Amino acid sequence: MPNYNQEKTMSNVDNQSNIHFGNNPYIVGVPIDNPENLIGREKLFNFIKNNLDNNSKIILLHGLRRIGKSSVLKLFDHFISDDNLVCINFDLQNKSTKSVNGILYDLAQYIVEELELKDVYLPEQQECDSQENWFSNKFLPEIYKQLGNKKVILLLDEFDVAEKTKDDGVLKKTSAFFSYLKTLINNQERLFLIPVIGRNVGELDIILRLYHGAPNQEIGLLDPLGSEKLVTKPAQKSLIYEKQAIDEIYKICAGHPFLTQAICSEIFRQARENSNRKVTRDDVTAIIDRAIESAEGGLDWFWKGVSPSQQVIFSAAAEAQNRARDSVPNKGPIEILKEHGVIQTEELIKAVEELIQNKSLDKNGQVKVELVRLWITKKHPIKQEIKELEHLKLEEIQPHLEKAIKFTENGQNNDALLEYQEVFKINPNHYPSLLKLAQGNLKNKNFDKAIELYERAYKFDPEANKQRFIDAIEDYGNDLILQQKISQAKAQFQLILDYDEENISAQEKIKQIDARQFPANYSQISENSNNGTNLKNNEREKQKLPWRNLSLVTAGIVTILGIGGLVGNRWLTSCHEAEEKMQFGLYCLPIANNNFNKNISSGESILFSDISSASNNYRMSRQKGVEAYKNKEYATASEYFKNAREANINDPEVLIYQNNALARKDGNSFILAVVVPVNNAQSIAQEILRGVAQAQKQFNDDGGYQGRLLEIVIANDADNPEEAKKIAKQLAEKTEILGIIGHYSSRSTKKALEEYTQAKLPIISPTSTSIELKNDVFFRTVSSDAVFGKKLADYTYKSGLNEVIILYDSESTYSRSLMDMFKQEFKERNGKVAEIIDFSNPGQNIKTKLLDSLSQNKAKGVLLFPDLKHTRLSLQLAQDEDLKMRNLQFLGGDTLYSQEASRAEGLIVAVPWFRQTQESTKFATEALGLWGNEVSWRTATSFDATQAFIKTFKTFSPNVSRSDILSSLRQINIPANKTAGYILKFDSDGETMSKPILVRAKGGNFTEIQESRP
């Protein structure tokens, strides 16, 4: 620790040119050989020593690359000082292609040379190969004889083997080596093994199972104190670090020793150049680029040590964080890749899980070390890395590519397309095959598929593929006009304008469609256009003739096809439900202000119609899935919904419909309903649906129960109590619906309960917390306001905030309930509520009212209990500069928890579930893989609500009834590994037994406030 009291004295010589700094004390890129310079590893060596003292024969160490493992091994015998121990530090790198005997022979040679043993006989390798147990029966006994009574510790670096082969290295290729070591250690009393896993940390579980749960420890990032020592100690005679500079280094390096040394080395170099001993935060930020350059070799080595799939995930995660810094909503790496046209594959999902497991990414899928993220952003941008995906599985792909080329040369284009499709089955992100398939499908007039593929190509490389994409859409639009599908054609030309708003051709055709003007010879124009995709733009323009009045269209087409045939066909052909007949019944055009009742759907209609940035493929697949579902073509509907899901993995509605179609196809499904506020809280509605969809998918993927799958009916109550009551009545009348998940707000749930009670229909709410919700059919997977109020009151008072102001909405059941419970609990602790401000009072300025109240009392705490419509105002107050000047502590209920709220620095929120707790890791990681993005507490509690119903299905025979479920819900006890992280059971009042968690907004994220939890 630097002596900050010296700062004033030393500052007098800060700018003297004759200061002698000496050599740079920071070590970058090579193992540390001086024990004094190995800082922050005391706990690690204590762990090892304690286990050796307890005679543990195998101790596993593991850690990221460039984390300092080699330094630990090199100085092992210094820190584990024992005259009775002999340490052999042997590197298994480049041994993956050798046999067991080959590796053992190299090890024996190394031991003889390292210990300088002259009287140990080591036979030729060929002789060793012919003797099965030479190492254990002959070599080791001679070693023991030379060493007396000393124990031998084998330190095996790169135990998982760095250099991989096509057989996936030693771990897979010569697993006999690991089994041999296990047997060897068990049979050799004086031999101990400390393997170090450096690259394939994901294999740790496999190795632990092999060695029956041997003690293991991570060689990990340094904690803040260890990092501070590493920063200050080497240069304590030369530099004085301000506290803010130390904090900034930790923020950038996250305690990574190699990177900390790299950045400090550049700080020292700059300080020496400027003859300035004092290091400020600005000095740190000024040398980041130089530090990245100096650490380039190590960072590149680290990068090459991860798989291509992991590299792409790394790059996508870095891109996601770049956007988050620009106040763009957080997205996970999979979702970022999707935006670039990448299809989610098992390899990519596994890569996310592996990087989280080895702590390269945090639990939210973000790059854990900021300096690594900056380097990836600079050296490995996402657009560059996604092109590397085409090199995956090349050996499997190559035969199909060769066949495709030969077929193309022989004019067998359809056969070539089949080969490219085989390539896509193996690697759906093979870019060259993507283009070939797009071209082939367009030529065959398979427009849907062609546009889908060209859209992906456009996302891969917008500059190279934009015109191809637009040409394909235009060809489809022309073909739709030829088929008299006018409204669908218009949609295609409007789509062109989404990508090229100045496209004259698309503008003109939309005008002509709106004016009901069609050319007499349009069929010939369209045919020429469809065959002219590869023509130059100027040649294509010559083919586009002026359009004429609609009467000419009728006359021209009648002349060619005959009045009776065409008119009869068009009169007899029905329009889409959102279209009507126009112009003598010949054409279908959109109905103005068409408004169908689409408040309840299991796949017959789309509830979430306003999906921003939706692709054409997504919209079309979704709509075709609905049409197939309505026609009871469930297998077809499932495929279309699957395509829509692939085009937008973050949409839970289509995943539910996909599973519904599968359930309908098999028949006799279990049916639940979920009620969400689609109209006025779409993001919250989707959060709830993600939890329901995840549980449904998991249940159905496992085959359901006794052959019955789960179907989910989605209902939209717009978070309106009266609408909620109507929806509840409709759902209650559907006797096949066994249970309800919902509603969102307490006020809507309270109103809907009237209908559910009468129908004895069980309901589990994942979000309604009001204490007014008490009923024999009501359960919830979120704590009640009584529990939240007690939690907040207890924390507020213990924090020294014994006088507070409360803001709430008297018209909100939730807000009123939480306010009452907090006030009651706070007063019981002798806390004082200085004033209660009602959001719903008309004609008041809430900020002014709050400031007036603060000027009249000593309150330092402000409790925010808004309903949904007042959450934005509450967050504005929490971030208001005038209020910040008063050093207030803002606290609030779960409605405040959002990405926007995370930017309200210091805000404390009570939530039912938090993805960064240890208990939540499993579910949070699985959800990240499924949705491509991190999930909220509403997703977790909705997952648990669905799991509770599923548990009751399995309690009874397949013919479970509503009354069966009601009696079973109070008895369930679901273990934590089947829920979002905590044991799920209800008390006699239907209340969950889980407890809220307090989180604080810090640095643009929420972090848990550590408390002891049951």
Side-chain angles (χ1 to χ4, degrees), residues 951-964:
K951 179 67 173 178
T952 66
F953 300 159
K954 297 179 179 180
T955 304
F956 296 90
S957 67
N959 298 319
V960 61
S961 67
R962 291 178 178 180
S963 60
D964 291 333

Side-chain angles (χ1 to χ4, degrees), residues 576-578 594-601 604-609 623 626 630 657 714-716:
H576 183 271
E577 65 177 8
N594 183 36
N595 184 21
F596 290 95
N597 183 2
K598 296 181 179 179
N599 286 333
I600 301 177
S601 172
E604 304 88 351
S605 63
I606 297 297
L607 299 181
F608 293 82
S609 57
Q623 185 57 44
V626 165
K630 285 191 294 188
Y657 291 166
I714 306 175
N716 168 30

Side-chain angles (χ1 to χ4, degrees), residues 104-152:
L104 292 175
Y105 186 82
D106 289 350
L107 175 59
Q109 264 191 328
Y110 182 82
I111 290 174
V112 171
E113 294 172 2
E114 183 72 9
L115 300 181
E116 298 180 352
L117 301 176
K118 298 180 180 178
D119 297 328
V120 175
Y121 172 71
L122 186 62
E124 295 296 324
Q125 185 164 354
Q126 289 181 345
E127 186 180 344
C128 293
D129 289 341
S130 64
Q131 299 178 32
E132 184 175 348
N133 296 316
W134 68 272
F135 188 82
S136 59
N137 294 346
K138 292 184 177 181
F139 178 74
L140 285 178
E142 287 198 49
I143 296 299
Y144 298 147
K145 193 181 298 183
Q146 292 274 343
L147 296 177
N149 294 322
K150 294 182 179 181
K151 297 176 181 179
V152 176

